[in-house]
Amino acid sequence: MILNNTPVRTSKNFNINNIKIDEIALPTLVPFSNVKISGETDTMTVEKTKKFELHFTYGVGNVIEDCNQCLRVQVSGKESSPIKIEFDFDQENAALAENIEVIANENAEATVMILYRSDKEKTYFHQGALHVIAKKNAKIHVIVVNLLNVSSQHLMSMENEIDENASVDYTIVDFGAKTCISNWYSNILGEKAASSVNTIYLGSDEQFFDINYIAHLRGEKTNVNMEVQGALADKAKKHFKGTIDFKKGSKKAVGNENESCLLLSDEARSIALPMLLCSEEDVEGNHASSSGKIDTKSLFYIMSRGFSEKDAIKLVVKARFECVLQTIEDWQLREEILSRIDEELL
Amino acid sequence: MSKSQIEDINRNIYDIKNEDNYDFKMKKGLTREIIEELSKQKNEPEWMKEFRLKALDVYESLELPTWGPDISELDMNDIATYVRPKSKLNSSWDDVPEDIKKTFDQLGIPDAEKESLAGVGAQYDSEVVYHSMKEELIQQGVIYTDMETAVREYPDVVKEHFMKCVPVYDHKFVALHGAVWSGGSFVYVPKGVKVDIPLQSYFRLNSPESGQFEHTLIIVDEGASLHFIEGCSAPKYNKVNLHAGCVELYVKDNAYLRYSTIENWSKNMFNLNTKKAIVGKNAKMEWVTGSFGSKISMLYPMSILNGENAKTEFTGISFAGKGQNLDNGFKVVHNAKNTSSLVNAKSISKDGGKCTYRSLVRITPNAGGSKSSVSCESLMLDDISISDTIPVNDIETDDVIFSHEAKIGKISDKTIFYLMSRGLSEEDAKAMIVRGFAYPISKELPVEYAVEMNNLINLELEGAIG
């Protein structure tokens, strides 16, 4: 199975244009009942609907055609507290393929949190498809947190259409799954439309991440920002593919991409492909990518203050992730994410 | 601000065509019979003929690249792979036939040889027509000759190194090169010998609907040093020409090699060239590249840092104008401890041209303590051009310091305004900014070549912007 193609190919020998997955055992879908929805209001609703299809420009690729959860979130007002959708995997709810559509009407503002958790007992399968439409002047913050166990499969496709002066900002936490394949695409259409994605990933054991983020800047004065911070321990491996594509007509657009990977083991492997594609003159595009281990001086300094080496490493990782964690207002969720770092980096 | 209008580079020197006056021209196409005939025409040893035929098999078994520029227009049935000019190899310019000599005169090669080079090789179509080197280098044991002579006179050295650094199965056009290679240069610098003045080979393709497949093999032995300059050009024809050369560089322990290229092929040329260096312990390999010509270019010089503390630097600029698609870049593999690489790549796109920077940095598990820093900048001079950056960074060990950064933008209005406030016209301000953008590359070239490069960029810039 070939998944998560980059928008532009490079040499086949570099092994990054897509990934071949042979090991995923596809489950038979049965109803998934462990879904908890909270935070609905008069102007922010979640409707469990009949099956509907989502058509993606990119996406991970269809591994399972069917779905066992279909949700439509409608936002028409300005909401200060978030709507929260939580999927908990267990023996009876072992496979989930969900389609979620978020429609933010003109001038609407809201935060949508989607959480995936599991116990450590079994191998679970998740295929998610999330489509966000932000109409004129709408502002949507989407938080996607993957805290599945490290033997599961997580395939997540996210696509956004963004109108004039609207924005769709993501916070993504990818800590779970043995194979975590993530695809994020923002089609930034309207004048002054904006999008961002702030991601942290943490890999240990033999976890594998294939992260593919794509932004098309089409409208004038559009903006995109990608900030990806990760840490890899043990034999974990990651592909990061980030594409900022300035399409014709995107005059005065700005795109920035920063990817940084902390290598905590000499067996961890980080591959990055940060692409800038440009068909417009009056734009500004920047990308930066870096990899390396924790600076020994910093580590020594922290340890000289009484921390063990393990605790010092955890502290550095948490500090690295802080800029992304700050975008999550829910302190309980932040604590849950931080405690997962402690567990993974034992 | 008014729009930038930058005319095409003035190519009048490079576009002068001689009559297609050859001694032998192979029929077009690529078959086993053609390869056998080529080998016969070159009067080669049997092992080389067998090598060519094996390479042809590999060529036929490999697919075209599934990435990069569209090269479907290239049809090997329309290309003559071997054109022997009406000249033997000479060591005096006076013996070179007048029409060929005139071409190299106009390109300034004999003058450069007198003023600033330690040796010169000049290839016309498929064969080297002139080769010469200063006597003092000969006495020091430096060998600088054409590849055919090297195959005959130094068979053991050639067999040991020929297409070992760049194996024929690397990609389809390397296999093609292995099957039809002709001409090129062989350089050997003995242990400890420092060649202070550069050697230069110049490759000129005059014959229409033909290919040039020169092979350059340079061995810089332990503790030795060399600066080698490669220049290339061709007049423009309506049909496709092909350049699929191959450069193999062996930089042994403690040695130093700088390989500079000014590439100015005509805009009907498919430049599918391959260059690779194997760098030993404490050795240093530097690439300096200016890429201006070609219709399509796919060129990614590569350094393999095999020895501890080996270093490499790449400094390159691409300038793509109307109808050009220059897909260039650099590859480096860190394969030993404490190796380092430094990349500074720039590109300018204008008038509908496309520049792509495509690269690979791979740091293997053996390469603890290594450092790599990559910077690429792209300048867009109008809104009909394209500029892409496609770098792959593959890090397989934690004990590294790796960073990559890239920028795309246009000439800053603020900078133009600042320069205009100091009394410059808008045209002069823009031309100065473009020259400044290219300066980090031009300053790495010997003065005469920096002038040539600046001429290529600037000759038509002044007075043409506004």
Side-chain angles (χ1 to χ4, degrees):
Chain A
M1 205 178 301
I2 292 172
L3 302 170
N4 226 7
N5 282 300
T6 50
V8 174
R9 287 177 65 81
T10 190
S11 173
K12 212 163 68 173
N13 300 338
F14 300 168
N15 299 320
I16 197 164
N17 291 317
N18 45 49
I19 54 157
K20 280 184 188 166
I21 299 286
D22 301 320
E23 293 171 4
I24 295 182
L26 297 182
T28 308
L29 286 183
V30 295
F32 189 99
S33 59
N34 265 4
V35 188
K36 191 173 149 195
I37 297 166
S38 55
E40 282 186 278
T41 65
D42 290 347
T43 58
M44 185 163 64
T45 57
V46 181
E47 179 193 3
K48 286 193 176 182
T49 72
K50 284 189 239 170
K51 284 178 191 171
F52 60 82
E53 286 188 14
L54 292 172
H55 298 284
F56 282 8
T57 309
Y58 293 103
V60 167
N62 260 349
V63 176
I64 290 185
E65 296 289 338
D66 203 3
C67 63
N68 55 0
Q69 280 288 339
C70 286
L71 304 174
R72 184 169 282 123
V73 180
Q74 292 268 4
V75 188
S76 52
K78 294 189 179 182
E79 297 291 344
S80 55
S81 57
I83 199 156
K84 204 167 176 181
I85 304 167
E86 296 167 85
F87 298 98
D88 284 295
F89 289 71
D90 58 23
Q91 300 274 4
E92 281 74 44
N93 297 276
L96 170 67
E98 90 279 12
N99 285 352
I100 302 177
E101 187 168 53
V102 178
I103 301 167
N105 290 309
E106 282 192 20
N107 303 309
E109 287 183 20
T111 298
V112 178
M113 294 168 69
I114 304 168
L115 276 66
Y116 305 95
R117 297 188 187 92
S118 75
D119 57 35
K120 291 180 181 170
E121 307 307 316
K122 211 181 154 192
T123 296
Y124 301 111
F125 176 88
H126 170 237
Q127 174 182 289
L130 172 63
H131 192 239
V132 177
I133 298 168
K135 297 185 180 172
K136 191 176 172 183
N137 299 323
K139 299 203 183 319
I140 290 290
H141 181 202
V142 181
I143 300 170
V144 179
V145 179
N146 154 26
L147 295 177
L148 297 175
N149 66 37
V150 294
S151 59
S152 295
Q153 314 293 346
H154 175 75
L155 293 83
M156 188 76 202
S157 302
M158 296 158 274
E159 185 159 322
N160 316 297
E161 276 177 41
I162 309 165
D163 242 335
E164 187 184 331
N165 207 35
S167 66
V168 176
D169 299 309
Y170 274 70
T171 301
I172 298 176
V173 177
D174 265 330
F175 285 6
K178 183 176 185 186
T179 308
C180 175
I181 306 171
S182 174
N183 185 292
W184 179 93
Y185 167 54
S186 263
N187 195 11
I188 308 168
L189 295 160
E191 191 179 331
K192 292 184 181 170
S195 190
S196 69
V197 56
N198 290 283
T199 295
I200 51 176
Y201 63 88
L202 175 66
S204 59
D205 201 8
E206 291 191 347
Q207 280 184 276
F208 170 63
F209 298 85
D210 193 88
I211 300 166
N212 189 6
Y213 293 168
I214 303 149
H216 286 179
L217 294 135
R218 296 181 190 275
E220 285 192 20
K221 297 177 185 169
T222 47
N223 189 298
V224 70
N225 191 49
M226 295 181 187
E227 177 73 33
V228 179
Q229 295 284 339
L232 298 174
D234 306 326
K235 292 182 178 174
K237 181 179 173 184
K238 157 233 112 183
H239 291 170
F240 170 74
K241 305 173 269 193
T243 307
I244 294 179
D245 191 349
F246 294 95
K247 296 288 188 187
K248 195 135 191 67
S250 63
K251 285 192 184 299
K252 301 205 179 300
V254 177
N256 289 301
E257 179 180 347
N258 181 37
E259 190 267 341
S260 180
C261 181
L262 203 53
L263 295 161
L264 305 175
S265 149
D266 60 1
E267 291 182 292
R269 186 170 182 186
S270 163
I271 306 182
L273 170 55
M275 286 196 272
L276 279 177
L277 311 177
C278 184
S279 310
E280 184 54 75
E281 171 199 26
D282 188 6
V283 300
E284 189 186 322
N286 302 291
H287 74 213
S289 170
S290 62
S291 298
K293 67 176 181 180
I294 298 176
D295 172 41
T296 43
K297 277 186 191 165
S298 308
L299 213 54
F300 180 77
Y301 176 81
I302 299 167
M303 288 166 72
S304 74
R305 295 292 181 272
F307 287 85
S308 69
E309 188 181 354
K310 287 257 175 190
D311 286 342
I313 290 170
K314 286 176 191 172
L315 200 63
V316 173
V317 171
K318 286 175 185 174
R320 281 264 187 142
F321 289 177
E322 186 56 29
C323 63
V324 175
L325 288 171
Q326 274 176 1
T327 62
I328 301 174
E329 286 187 11
D330 183 332
W331 67 269
Q332 285 174 312
L333 179 58
R334 275 206 312 268
E335 286 300 317
E336 190 179 347
I337 294 165
L338 288 171
S339 64
R340 178 67 180 257
I341 296 172
D342 290 329
E343 278 175 42
E344 293 296 319
L345 300 181
L346 268 180
Chain B
M1 286 275 170
S2 56
K3 292 297 307 166
S4 305
Q5 290 295 335
I6 298 170
E7 299 302 317
D8 264 347
I9 289 164
N10 184 350
R11 294 188 47 88
N12 53 4
I13 303 167
Y14 307 98
D15 272 340
I16 294 168
K17 291 172 197 168
N18 288 347
E19 196 183 330
D20 190 17
N21 198 8
Y22 47 81
D23 183 47
F24 173 83
K25 188 167 185 173
M26 186 70 75
K27 66 177 179 181
K28 293 177 191 172
L30 188 65
T31 62
R32 203 172 171 84
E33 291 69 38
I34 282 175
I35 301 300
E36 282 168 350
E37 176 63 21
L38 193 159
S39 193
K40 189 174 148 196
Q41 287 289 334
K42 293 178 80 68
N43 195 22
E44 286 179 339
E46 188 65 16
W47 70 268
M48 186 53 83
K49 186 178 93 177
E50 291 304 317
F51 181 91
R52 289 180 185 277
L53 291 169
K54 273 184 194 163
L56 179 67
D57 291 342
V58 176
Y59 171 80
E60 283 166 353
S61 71
L62 294 175
E63 60 178 5
L64 283 168
T66 53
W67 47 275
D70 178 10
I71 52 173
S72 57
E73 194 188 338
L74 177 65
D75 183 351
M76 284 311 295
N77 293 320
D78 290 336
I79 298 284
T81 52
Y82 180 66
V83 184
R84 185 169 60 224
K86 278 191 170 169
S87 172
K88 59 180 177 37
L89 173 62
N90 302 286
S91 57
S92 163
W93 283 109
D94 292 339
D95 298 331
V96 175
E98 191 54 35
D99 58 337
I100 298 176
K101 180 175 178 290
K102 195 175 165 191
T103 303
F104 287 110
D105 276 341
Q106 282 161 337
L107 292 165
I109 307 302
D111 283 346
E113 182 182 7
K114 280 180 224 153
E115 289 166 18
S116 56
L117 296 170
V120 161
Q123 178 161 336
Y124 192 81
D125 291 330
S126 298
E127 295 288 357
V128 177
V129 295
Y130 174 83
H131 235 290
S132 174
M133 185 172 60
K134 283 192 191 308
E135 186 59 33
E136 65 211 52
L137 292 182
I138 297 171
Q139 284 170 4
Q140 286 179 291
V142 176
I143 301 167
Y144 179 36
T145 184
D146 62 300
M147 266 313 288
E148 280 77 3
T149 303
V151 170
R152 279 197 311 274
E153 295 185 7
Y154 311 101
D156 294 341
V157 184
V158 173
K159 268 186 191 173
E160 188 185 337
H161 295 91
F162 183 79
M163 298 206 81
K164 297 289 194 299
C165 174
V166 181
V168 288
Y169 48 80
D170 252 17
H171 61 80
K172 193 170 181 75
F173 293 97
V174 165
L176 172 67
H177 173 90
V180 299
W181 78 271
S182 180
S185 294
F186 172 80
V187 183
Y188 173 74
V189 186
K191 283 182 187 176
V193 173
K194 314 273 185 198
V195 181
D196 297 327
I197 308 171
L199 301 178
Q200 183 187 21
S201 285
Y202 199 95
F203 302 98
R204 175 75 177 175
L205 182 60
N206 181 69
S207 187
E209 295 179 79
S210 63
Q212 195 167 60
F213 307 94
E214 85 286 351
H215 194 93
T216 302
L217 174 58
I218 298 178
I219 303 162
V220 186
D221 215 330
E222 291 175 19
S225 73
L226 173 69
H227 181 186
F228 189 86
I229 300 168
E230 172 195 67
C232 30
S233 68
K236 186 171 182 183
Y237 294 102
N238 291 327
K239 291 202 172 176
V240 164
N241 274 22
L242 170 63
H243 175 236
C246 179
V247 174
E248 296 187 283
L249 309 174
Y250 295 87
V251 191
K252 304 276 170 125
D253 294 355
N254 301 305
Y256 167 84
L257 173 60
R258 172 175 279 210
Y259 195 94
S260 302
T261 305
I262 296 290
E263 182 272 297
N264 191 22
W265 293 115
S266 55
K267 293 180 183 175
N268 62 317
M269 181 68 87
F270 280 54
N271 183 32
L272 311 175
N273 208 7
T274 307
K275 298 178 178 182
K276 201 189 280 186
I278 294 177
V279 189
K281 190 174 171 182
N282 295 320
K284 187 171 186 187
M285 174 70 220
E286 294 178 351
W287 302 90
V288 181
T289 297
S291 182
F292 300 91
S294 305
K295 179 175 186 172
I296 285 174
S297 173
M298 293 175 81
L299 176 56
Y300 322 98
M302 181 176 194
S303 287
I304 299 175
L305 305 177
N306 266 351
E308 279 187 30
N309 300 311
K311 293 179 175 59
T312 192
E313 285 184 20
F314 174 85
T315 310
I317 190 163
S318 298
F319 193 127
K322 188 176 180 182
Q324 288 183 276
N325 187 344
L326 304 185
D327 198 299
N328 295 333
F330 179 63
K331 296 188 283 184
V332 57
V333 176
H334 292 251
N335 200 28
K337 285 190 186 305
N338 303 319
T339 49
S340 70
S341 59
L342 182 66
V343 179
N344 184 9
K346 300 204 173 215
S347 71
I348 302 169
S349 308
K350 59 130 192 155
D351 208 10
K354 179 175 182 179
C355 271
T356 301
Y357 174 75
R358 193 183 300 272
S359 69
L360 171 72
V361 175
R362 177 167 286 150
I363 301 182
T364 67
N366 307 327
S370 293
K371 295 175 187 170
S372 175
S373 174
V374 180
S375 163
C376 43
E377 285 183 81
S378 306
L379 193 58
M380 297 276 285
L381 294 183
D382 56 43
D383 59 3
I384 55 169
S385 301
I386 296 175
S387 179
D388 293 347
T389 307
I390 308 177
V392 173
N393 310 314
D394 185 353
I395 315 297
E396 298 181 65
T397 183
D398 61 336
D399 187 14
V400 295
I401 299 173
F402 167 76
S403 70
H404 172 110
E405 59 178 40
K407 288 179 193 169
I408 287 179
K410 67 164 200 166
I411 296 177
S412 153
D413 287 345
K414 275 186 193 165
T415 315
I416 294 168
F417 180 77
Y418 174 81
L419 290 172
M420 288 172 71
S421 76
R422 294 292 182 272
L424 267 69
S425 68
E426 188 186 335
E427 304 90 82
D428 287 345
K430 285 181 177 172
M432 180 180 275
I433 293 164
V434 174
R435 279 194 294 267
F437 182 78
Y439 177 70
I441 286 81
S442 61
K443 81 179 171 62
E444 295 300 325
L445 290 165
V447 174
E448 319 72 70
Y449 301 94
V451 170
E452 183 184 347
M453 194 184 99
N454 278 336
N455 280 342
L456 286 165
I457 297 174
N458 296 328
L459 210 62
E460 294 296 313
L461 272 178
E462 289 176 27
I465 307 173

